[in-house]
Amino acid sequence: MSQVLFYIHSQPDTNADLPAHFVQACQLAAYYYQQNKKVFIYTENQQDAFLVDEYLWQFDGDSFVPHNLVGEGPRYGSPVEISWLAPQHPRAVLINLNQSIPKFNLNFQQIIDFVPAQEQLKINARMRYSAYKKLGHTLSTQDVEAASQESTNQTEDK
């Protein structure tokens, strides 16, 4: 079964343009691209897919992430594909920005999901967590704010 990692956001969003978990999803897509892994970012709708696409275009030249919306770009897609529809090609990593578990979740080795700070989105994430568990996936969580605080402390200690 797949490894599912939930990133927990306990602080409310501070960026009005893009939710914190969308920003983190793009950063993770860049990380996995650098690891030579193909990524599929699954969004709730077309508008969210366009937001993610636009944000990835804003990365500077040194950290550019080749990406496209499903159906655009090369025949087998770019290293990072974004869509609100099912993927057309196999991928190693699913980054789920949808409020439900995709029916195609079993096709991925690794799944990244998020627990945003907003209460309704937390409830939806708990339901996804439970559903992943029932499907037999291996689950883990990481607190985003605690992890960033640790890295800040480590940097200050050096």
Side-chain angles (χ1 to χ4, degrees):
M1 283 290 139
S2 302
Q3 299 279 334
V4 180
L5 174 57
F6 274 86
Y7 284 95
I8 301 170
H9 291 259
S10 53
Q11 300 296 319
D13 289 332
T14 56
N15 182 345
D17 297 333
L18 204 63
H21 63 292
F22 278 45
V23 171
Q24 186 180 23
C26 293
Q27 293 166 343
L28 288 166
Y31 169 79
Y32 287 113
Y33 164 67
Q34 292 168 353
Q35 304 297 314
N36 292 318
K37 292 188 177 182
K38 292 201 172 236
V39 176
F40 184 75
I41 301 175
Y42 185 56
T43 62
E44 188 76 31
N45 52 49
Q46 186 175 15
Q47 180 181 351
D48 288 351
F50 288 153
L51 282 173
V52 170
D53 178 53
E54 284 302 313
Y55 188 76
L56 284 170
W57 280 115
Q58 295 173 22
F59 280 30
D60 66 44
D62 294 338
S63 58
F64 176 72
V65 178
H67 67 282
N68 63 270
L69 295 167
V70 167
E72 296 179 349
R75 182 174 180 191
Y76 293 103
S78 294
V80 175
E81 284 194 320
I82 309 158
S83 186
W84 62 101
L85 306 170
Q88 298 173 352
H89 307 288
R91 301 275 161 175
V93 180
L94 167 65
I95 298 178
N96 187 28
L97 293 174
N98 197 296
Q99 290 305 305
S100 61
I101 292 181
K103 293 178 181 167
F104 49 83
N105 71 85
L106 298 172
N107 299 340
F108 293 85
Q109 299 165 359
Q110 186 169 7
I111 300 170
I112 306 296
D113 210 316
F114 303 91
V115 182
Q118 298 89 333
E119 195 57 39
Q120 185 57 52
L121 298 180
K122 275 187 198 177
I123 292 167
N124 294 348
R126 287 184 195 117
M127 291 173 24
R128 288 193 309 278
Y129 188 96
S130 177
Y132 283 127
K133 190 172 184 176
K134 287 178 185 172
L135 290 169
H137 294 296
T138 303
L139 300 163
S140 60
T141 62
Q142 183 173 339
D143 188 308
V144 173
E145 283 73 23
S148 70
Q149 184 64 35
E150 280 179 27
S151 70
T152 301
N153 290 342
Q154 289 173 0
T155 304
E156 291 171 358
D157 292 344
K158 291 183 179 178

